[in-house]
């Protein structure tokens, strides 16, 4: 609300007249900025029908900055005339003056001066009259004193062309008494309280009218899950790199595609019940490519393709067990097998979807999370190609400081863990795993011998990987996120590149 003193003064001015007052005139008489009076008018209108204010527009002429200077010091042409002595002045000297160029032209048009171009020392300027009448200054002084109506429109427009005058539109309020006019300011109540109802004093209160046309506060609505927002960012990066998204809509997978096809032995600890969710209904899968299944069985139990295998009794009963997939690499296995059944062409695949582990929930483990996976199949790919693709991929994420550490995976050789230097934590943090798929996995599928497949994977939930997305999550969900607490959480399994995770 405007200052109470200004409000009372304005009401007193309105009380003294019957036909009203102009807000601009009130501001001028009080020596305050017009916006102060406008604010007082708005405040009084908010109190009810105390005053009536009609918005009016008016135009008047004002001196520009240059016009104000001329009103004080004289026009350019008059100053040129004044600086020319009886013996004349060299034109070159006159042009050095700040008002010389414009003043010379106007003084010549008024025939106040002449130029002797044949003068011995070069062109010289002489007066042609004894005295002058500086009408430009006189007209500007009239406008400055508020007597612009004494000038003809033609004269005003000429001064406007010289950028000495400008026409300004001024909006003001014509203020009159309202039906509830009073010189005493009473604050209106905005809320009916239980105390007012109990005491009955609400009858004596003045309430501010409700504006039923006003827009209400927008209710909170749903948002996309923060992880889905971050998932979109990862997906966009893969698409920019020319990858094709793999279908990942089968959460239930057979052990054959989840483990056996990846050359993961049936005795591997990951295939125990304490690590994997096994289904009871349906408990087994029965449809497999039989010729491919036989080749997988042979490479596991007898070896082949330059490998001695694992030398154990491979059982179809283990391969048939249905599970909740433990990784999206099972989807990659299906896609690579499908690729091998046709004429080979280089491909780049990616997937981002949920996987499941039989874990006890704690600070370092989740039973359900999202895996991000990238796969490239082409002729003659090497570890150097894998490192180059990883550098490009992580650079697009904003992660540029990378290190690689040799690792072991059942279905990749060589294998590498990927570490990034975390500027906030000041240490190296593991951000993913990668490797080149083994021949024992690829050749039974029917892929050509000179085709290599490089792949890498990471978790969407791992805080160090989503730190770039989490900064946006604050805005997306409107919650405060303690980033340091997230980064320090044990779920961010960090460690120097010299240690094994």
């Amino acid at each position: 609300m405007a200052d109470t003193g200004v409000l009372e003064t304005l009401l007193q001015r309105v009380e003294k007249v019957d036909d009203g007052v102009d807000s601009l005139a009130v501001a001028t008489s009080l020596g305050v900025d017009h916006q102060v009076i406008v604010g007082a008018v708005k405040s009084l209108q908010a109190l009810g029908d105390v005053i009536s204010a009609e918005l009016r527009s008016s135009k008047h002429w004002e001196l520009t900055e240059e016009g104000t200077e001329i009103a004080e010091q004289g026009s350019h042409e008059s100053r040129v005339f004044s600086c020319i002595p009886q013996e004349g002045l060299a034109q070159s000297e006159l042009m050095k003056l700040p008002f010389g160029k414009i003043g010379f032209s106007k003084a010549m048009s008024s025939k106040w001066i002449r130029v002797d171009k044949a003068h011995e020392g070069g062109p010289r300027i002489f007066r042609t009259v004894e005295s002058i009448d500086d009408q430009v200054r006189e007209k500007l002084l009239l406008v400055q004193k508020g007597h612009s109506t004494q000038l003809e429109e033609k004269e005003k427009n000429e001064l406007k062309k010289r950028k000495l005058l400008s026409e300004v539109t001024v909006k003001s309020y014509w203020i009159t008494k309202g039906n509830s006019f009073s010189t005493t300011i009473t604050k209106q109540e905005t809320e009916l309280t239980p105390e007012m109802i109990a005491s009955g004093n609400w009858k004596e209160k003045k309430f501010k009218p409700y504006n039923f046309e006003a827009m209400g506060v927008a209710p909170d609505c749903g948002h996309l899950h923060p992880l889905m927002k971050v998932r979109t960012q990862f997906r966009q990066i893969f698409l920019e790199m020319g990858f094709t998204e793999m279908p990942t809509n089968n959460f239930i997978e057979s052990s054959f595609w989840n483990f056996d096809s990846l050359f993961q032995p049936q005795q591997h600890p990951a295939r125990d019940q304490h690590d994997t969710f096994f289904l009871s209904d349906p408990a087994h899968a029965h449809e497999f490519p039989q010729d491919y299944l036989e080749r997988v069985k042979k490479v596991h139990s007898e070896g082949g393709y330059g490998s001695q295998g694992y030398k154990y009794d491979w059982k179809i009963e283990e391969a048939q067990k249905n599970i909740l997939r433990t990784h999206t690499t099972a989807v990659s296995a299906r896609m690579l097998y499908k690729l091998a059944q046709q004429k080979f062409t280089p491909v780049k695949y990616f997937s981002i979807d949920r996987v499941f582990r039989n874990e006890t929930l704690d600070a370092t483990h989740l039973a359900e999370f999202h895996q991000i996976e990238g796969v490239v199949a082409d002729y003659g790919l090497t570890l150097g190609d894998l490192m180059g693709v990883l550098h490009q991929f992580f650079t697009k994420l904003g992660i540029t400081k990378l290190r690689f550490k040799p690792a072991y995976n059942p279905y990749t050789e060589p294998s590498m863990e990927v570490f990034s230097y975390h500027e906030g934590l000041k240490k190296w943090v593991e951000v993913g795993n990668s490797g080149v798929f083994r021949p024992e996995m690829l050749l039974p599928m029917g892929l050509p011998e000179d085709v290599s497949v490089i792949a890498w994977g990471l978790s969407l939930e791992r805080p160090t990987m989503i730190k770039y997305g989490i900064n946006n999550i604050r805005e997306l969900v409107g919650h405060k996120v303690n980033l340091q607490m997230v980064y320090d959480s044990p779920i961010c399994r960090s460690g120097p590149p010299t240690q094994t995770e």
Side-chain angles (χ1 to χ4, degrees), residues 154-414:
K154 181 180 179 181
E155 295 174 315
K156 296 175 185 176
N157 290 328
E158 287 178 355
L159 295 173
K160 183 179 179 181
K161 287 180 181 180
R162 291 186 62 173
K163 297 182 179 180
L164 304 178
L165 280 186
S166 62
E167 192 174 20
V168 180
T169 300
V170 177
K171 292 184 178 181
S172 61
Y173 286 95
W174 186 256
I175 308 165
T176 56
K177 299 174 184 177
N179 295 329
S180 304
F181 179 79
S182 172
T183 56
T184 304
I185 301 172
T186 304
K187 183 179 179 181
Q188 293 177 311
E189 300 291 339
T190 59
E191 185 178 358
L192 180 64
T193 65
E195 291 76 15
M196 291 180 185
I197 298 174
S199 63
N201 66 357
W202 62 270
K203 299 176 183 179
E204 304 170 359
K205 301 285 185 181
K206 288 188 177 181
F207 289 88
K208 185 177 181 180
Y210 283 99
N211 180 9
F212 292 101
E213 302 297 325
M215 297 294 292
V217 178
D220 290 336
C221 56
H223 300 275
L224 288 177
H225 192 281
L227 283 178
M228 294 300 99
K229 282 290 186 181
V230 180
R231 180 189 184 278
T232 301
Q233 297 176 9
F234 279 94
R235 186 173 182 272
Q236 185 60 37
I237 289 172
F238 276 114
L239 294 175
E240 288 175 0
M241 294 176 66
F243 281 70
T244 301
E245 190 166 9
M246 294 185 283
T248 56
N249 54 346
N250 52 323
F251 292 163
I252 298 175
E253 190 59 271
S254 67
S255 294
F256 174 79
W257 288 107
N258 196 85
F259 297 120
D260 296 271
S261 65
L262 301 178
F263 195 58
Q264 192 160 329
Q266 293 182 341
Q267 304 92 338
H268 196 281
R271 301 177 71 153
D272 293 339
Q273 288 191 357
H274 65 267
D275 274 340
T276 301
F277 288 110
F278 288 86
L279 270 65
S280 58
D281 184 22
H284 298 91
H286 301 284
E287 296 183 4
F288 303 102
Q290 288 301 317
D291 55 343
Y292 174 49
L293 185 143
E294 291 298 329
R295 292 194 294 271
V296 170
K297 174 182 178 180
K298 183 177 180 180
V299 76
H300 275 253
S301 56
E302 303 176 16
Y305 312 103
S307 172
Q308 65 179 5
Y310 292 114
K311 303 296 184 181
Y312 69 95
D313 185 16
W314 187 87
K315 297 179 180 180
I316 184 63
E317 293 79 12
E318 288 292 329
Q320 289 178 326
K321 291 180 179 179
N322 280 330
I323 63 171
L324 292 180
R325 67 181 180 208
T326 62
H327 50 192
T328 54
T329 315
V331 180
S332 301
R334 284 183 176 271
M335 293 299 293
L336 291 173
Y337 173 74
K338 183 179 179 180
L339 178 66
Q341 308 316 302
Q342 59 194 32
K343 184 178 179 181
F344 177 79
T345 54
V347 295
K348 293 191 287 188
Y349 293 139
F350 82 95
S351 65
I352 309 174
D353 212 337
R354 278 184 282 180
V355 296
F356 309 87
R357 303 285 174 85
N358 190 5
E359 301 277 8
T360 301
L361 297 182
D362 57 30
T364 63
H365 299 87
L366 295 173
E368 176 183 333
F369 57 94
H370 291 75
Q371 181 176 332
I372 302 169
E373 183 158 341
V375 177
V376 181
D378 203 346
Y379 294 101
L381 292 177
T382 65
L383 197 65
D385 295 300
L386 174 59
M387 296 172 72
V389 173
L390 287 174
H391 268 289
Q392 183 183 12
F393 175 78
F394 283 103
T395 297
K396 285 180 175 288
L397 285 176
I399 299 175
T400 55
K401 294 182 180 180
L402 294 180
R403 282 184 181 176
F404 304 99
K405 184 187 78 171
Y408 168 76
N409 293 316
Y411 43 88
T412 58
E413 181 60 38

